[in-house]
């Protein structure tokens, strides 16, 4: 692992686990930019960041459907909340259809975070957790909670029709909800989750499909589509370019 680039991710408090997947921090301590590849993972990320080249700012990043190479500027420090998609409606109280494969800046007073907060990860976690708890509505649509629970539990392998039957919500309405809130269909989202689940296997050096892929060629094609490289190269993860894979490997 690159000692100049440090990161740490934790699971959320049980009180917010329906809406948040994890909380994390990263810090590029180097005087050089860090090259990384962002790959689709089915999460919606809220970043609180600062660096010498860009003062404190808050960014909401939508879902990704393809890999993107980016550079993290020198001395960048960040705190990130990775949301499950259901949080878009109930916690963020917005839609992210317009930020598919992109991002948008949020007001500097969003959630009352300050630049100095980034120096203390535990404080950031406590502050974000408290704010999210305050925003959780007294009542949520049980169909939506059940829908996302099943999507995650099945690692994206349940069909739209199967999900529709189990939650009592028509496939047409489900797809309309996904398109309006997230900017893509349920099927497209499920494909991303299946890819992400396969990353857990790749991180352990298992380079053959263990999920519902037609064959090895289909598996390789989908890994290339979402990461830009074949499973073997992804597993090698030179220079920790694929941060998500590094996290899964527990580095």
């Amino acid at each position: 692992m690159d000692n100049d680039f440090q990161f740490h991710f934790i699971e959320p408090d049980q009180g917010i686990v329906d809406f948040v997947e994890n909380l994390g921090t990263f810090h590029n301590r180097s005087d050089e930019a860090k090259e990384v590849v962002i790959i689709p993972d089915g999460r919606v990320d809220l970043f609180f960041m600062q660096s010498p080249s860009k003062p404190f700012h808050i960014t909401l990043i939508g879902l990704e459907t393809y890999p993107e190479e980016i550079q993290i500027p020198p001395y960048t420090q960040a705190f990130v909340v990775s949301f499950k998609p259901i949080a878009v409606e109930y916690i963020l109280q917005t839609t992210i259809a317009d930020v598919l494969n992109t991002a948008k800046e949020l007001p500097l007073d969003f959630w009352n975070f300050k630049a100095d907060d980034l120096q203390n990860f535990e404080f950031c976690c406590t502050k974000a957790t408290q704010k999210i708890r305050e925003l959780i509505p007294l009542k949520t649509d049980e169909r939506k909670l059940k829908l996302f629970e099943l999507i995650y539990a099945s690692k994206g392998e349940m069909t739209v029709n199967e999900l529709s039957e189990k939650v009592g919500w028509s496939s047409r309405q489900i797809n309309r909800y996904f398109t309006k809130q997230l900017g893509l269909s349920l099927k497209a989202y499920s494909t991303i989750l299946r890819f992400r689940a396969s990353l857990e296997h790749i991180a352990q050096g298992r380079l053959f499909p263990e999920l519902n892929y037609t064959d090895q060629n289909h598996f390789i094609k989908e890994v290339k589509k979402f990461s830009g490289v074949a499973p073997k190269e992804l597993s090698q993860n030179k220079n920790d370019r694929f941060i998500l894979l590094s996290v899964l490997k527990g580095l």
Side-chain angles (χ1 to χ4, degrees), residues 125-138:
C125 290
T126 299
K127 191 169 184 175
T129 298
Q130 181 178 346
K131 183 62 180 178
I132 293 167
R133 280 179 172 273
E134 293 172 0
L135 291 168
I136 294 175
L138 294 176

Side-chain angles (χ1 to χ4, degrees), residues 133-248:
R133 280 179 172 273
E134 293 172 0
L135 291 168
I136 294 175
L138 294 176
K139 186 175 182 180
T140 55
D141 190 328
E142 290 298 325
R143 297 174 305 174
K144 294 172 183 175
L145 285 172
K146 183 66 174 179
L147 175 66
F148 282 105
E149 179 185 323
L150 290 171
I151 293 171
Y152 268 77
S154 68
K155 302 183 186 301
E157 295 217 281
M158 290 184 69
T159 67
V160 178
N161 287 336
E162 287 174 327
L163 290 166
S164 172
E165 290 177 5
K166 288 186 176 295
V167 301
W169 199 13
S170 76
S171 57
R172 183 177 179 181
Q173 289 176 319
I174 291 174
N175 273 316
R176 186 182 297 140
Y177 173 77
F178 264 75
T179 302
K180 179 181 178 182
Q181 288 296 122
L182 307 176
L184 76 177
S185 68
L186 170 55
K187 183 177 180 180
Y189 181 75
S190 295
T191 301
I192 291 170
L193 276 197
R194 181 175 65 175
F195 159 72
R196 185 177 136 200
S198 72
L199 285 178
E200 298 174 12
H201 307 150
I202 293 173
Q204 298 168 11
R206 290 144 53 192
L207 307 181
F208 295 89
E210 299 184 32
L211 297 166
N212 189 27
Y213 289 96
T214 306
D215 52 33
Q216 179 73 358
N217 287 335
H218 181 207
F219 173 65
I220 292 173
K221 183 178 180 181
E222 192 155 293
V223 170
K224 282 185 174 180
K225 173 185 176 182
F226 289 125
S227 72
V229 298
K232 184 176 182 180
E233 184 177 345
L234 183 60
S235 177
Q236 292 170 345
N237 195 16
K238 292 182 179 179
N239 300 318
D240 287 318
R241 292 172 63 235
F242 299 93
I243 299 299
L244 178 56
L245 199 66
S246 297
V247 172
L248 290 172

Side-chain angles (χ1 to χ4, degrees), residues 34-118:
K34 168 70 175 178
E35 293 185 359
V36 300
V37 180
I38 304 300
I39 52 180
D41 60 10
R43 299 180 296 197
V44 179
D45 292 323
L46 177 65
F47 279 91
F48 301 84
M49 303 176 67
Q50 67 175 348
S51 70
S53 61
K54 188 171 183 180
F56 181 71
H57 57 286
I58 304 170
T59 306
L60 179 64
I61 300 179
L63 295 174
E64 300 99 353
T65 61
Y66 55 78
E68 181 182 7
E69 293 188 23
I70 67 169
Q71 289 195 337
I72 299 175
Y75 306 114
T76 294
Q77 191 165 11
F79 170 68
V80 56
V81 181
S82 292
F83 290 104
K84 297 177 179 179
I86 193 171
V88 172
E89 176 183 3
Y90 289 111
I91 305 301
L92 298 173
Q93 300 170 9
T94 186
T95 171
I96 58 167
D98 60 332
V99 286
L100 184 69
N101 292 310
T102 185
K104 62 181 177 182
E105 297 288 314
L106 299 182
L108 288 179
D109 60 353
F110 187 82
W111 286 9
N112 199 34
F113 267 74
K114 308 296 181 185
D116 288 345
D117 295 343
L118 301 182

